[in-house]
């Protein structure tokens, strides 16, 4: 099996590979929500209930991508579902790139400040890097349009604002507890970079004419 075939549309959009990707992301999503269990419980106890939706960043990004894979497997026929699909796909791309890079960078930043790597850190770096890669790899098969990208951009910026206004951002390594202002700036900047990356990926998709019709 050649390397070029592994990156080809025929392989990436084959139903066996899509189902493998679906289950991997679904398991990762469930694990991610379990990982956030302590912070979710703390938020429910000490914050207004409506803030809970902004707490689990990475697993929600993974959930968006998992839903997008379902739509690749079973393209919707109704207009309302097609619109919902486009929004999910745009959210999947922006948030997966953003939080995939963010988590890996924060772990390494904490180590650079004197922290120590454990096996869970290596696992998190690998899984979150995969989130960013798969999002940029599959955007060419997604049907999301520019309006959906704008909505995804607004949601992600809103999430950042909620995180650092109400202190519900993901728990940081101990070595970064004094660097929250810098982390906040990095987070906003990474959101903007992720939006631009999604925009360029969509431009490349449109130029090449590779769209969801190639999969359906």
């Amino acid at each position: 099996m050649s390397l070029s075939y592994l990156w080809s549309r025929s392989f990436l959009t084959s139903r066996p590979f899509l189902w493998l990707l679906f289950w991997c992301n679904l398991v990762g999503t469930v694990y991610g929500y379990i990982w956030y269990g302590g912070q979710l419980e703390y938020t429910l106890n000490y914050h207004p209930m409506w803030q809970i939706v902004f707490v689990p960043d990475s697993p929600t990004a993974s959930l968006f991508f998992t839903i997008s894979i379902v739509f690749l497997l079973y393209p919707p026929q109704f207009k309302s579902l097609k619109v919902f699909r486009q929004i999910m796909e745009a959210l999947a791309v922006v948030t997966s790139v953003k939080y995939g890079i963010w988590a890996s960078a924060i772990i390494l930043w904490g180590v650079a400040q004197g922290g120590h790597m454990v096996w869970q850190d290596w696992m998190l770096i690998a899984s979150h890097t995969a989130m960013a890669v798969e999002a940029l790899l599959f955007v060419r098969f997604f049907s999301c349009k520019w309006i959906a990208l704008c909505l995804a951009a607004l949601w992600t910026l809103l999430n950042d604002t909620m995180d650092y206004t109400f202190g519900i951002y993901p728990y940081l390594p101990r070595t970064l507890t004094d660097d929250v202002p810098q982390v906040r700036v990095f987070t906003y900047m990474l959101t903007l970079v992720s939006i631009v990356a999604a925009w360029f990926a969509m431009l490349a998709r449109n130029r090449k004419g590779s769209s969801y019709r190639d999969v359906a």
Side-chain angles (χ1 to χ4, degrees):
M1 185 179 295
S2 66
L3 184 61
S4 60
Y5 175 71
L6 292 176
W7 294 98
S8 68
R9 179 163 57 249
S10 58
F11 174 74
L12 293 175
T13 61
S14 63
R15 296 188 74 82
F17 185 76
L18 287 175
W19 275 115
L20 174 63
L21 206 60
F22 167 81
W23 286 112
C24 288
N25 279 274
L26 181 62
V27 170
T29 299
V30 172
Y31 178 79
Y33 282 115
I34 294 173
W35 181 277
Y36 270 88
Q39 187 173 359
L40 289 169
E41 183 179 359
Y42 180 88
T43 303
L44 286 174
N45 290 334
Y46 298 100
H47 291 264
M49 184 177 293
W50 63 266
Q51 294 180 11
I52 197 72
V53 69
F54 299 104
V55 173
D57 295 334
S58 293
T60 301
S62 180
L63 177 62
F64 291 147
F65 192 84
T66 303
I67 295 172
S68 298
I69 293 298
V70 173
F71 283 129
L72 286 178
L73 286 163
Y74 301 102
Q77 302 302 317
F78 298 104
K79 183 176 180 180
S80 58
L81 280 179
K82 290 180 179 179
V83 173
F84 178 71
R85 172 186 182 171
Q86 292 181 18
I87 295 173
M88 288 295 102
E89 290 172 342
L91 284 167
V93 176
V94 174
T95 60
S96 293
V97 172
K98 185 267 182 73
Y99 294 116
I101 297 173
W102 186 91
S104 300
I106 290 297
I107 292 172
L108 295 175
W109 190 352
V111 172
Q113 296 276 57
H116 300 284
M117 292 281 287
V118 296
W119 72 267
Q120 291 97 331
D121 293 326
W122 291 110
M123 179 269 293
L124 289 171
I125 288 176
S127 60
H128 282 80
T129 300
M131 284 176 57
V133 171
E134 68 181 6
L136 291 176
L137 193 60
F138 272 79
V139 67
R140 60 182 168 142
F141 309 126
F142 288 164
S143 62
C144 49
K145 302 296 193 297
W146 303 114
I147 185 63
L149 178 60
C150 291
L151 292 174
L154 290 173
W155 165 261
T156 311
L157 289 169
L158 174 63
N159 200 351
D160 292 345
T161 302
M162 295 298 103
D163 280 355
Y164 294 95
T165 299
F166 299 105
I168 54 175
Y169 50 83
Y171 289 153
L172 301 173
R174 293 182 182 274
T175 52
L176 295 183
T177 53
D178 295 331
D179 298 312
V180 174
Q182 292 88 337
V183 172
R184 179 175 61 244
V185 172
F186 170 71
T187 300
Y188 274 104
M189 293 302 297
L190 186 55
T191 294
L192 296 177
V193 169
S194 301
I195 294 168
V196 171
W199 180 66
F200 275 112
M202 289 174 62
L203 281 178
R205 176 199 67 183
N206 293 342
R207 282 199 299 268
K208 293 180 181 179
S210 298
S211 72
Y212 72 105
R213 287 185 296 272
D214 298 315
V215 182

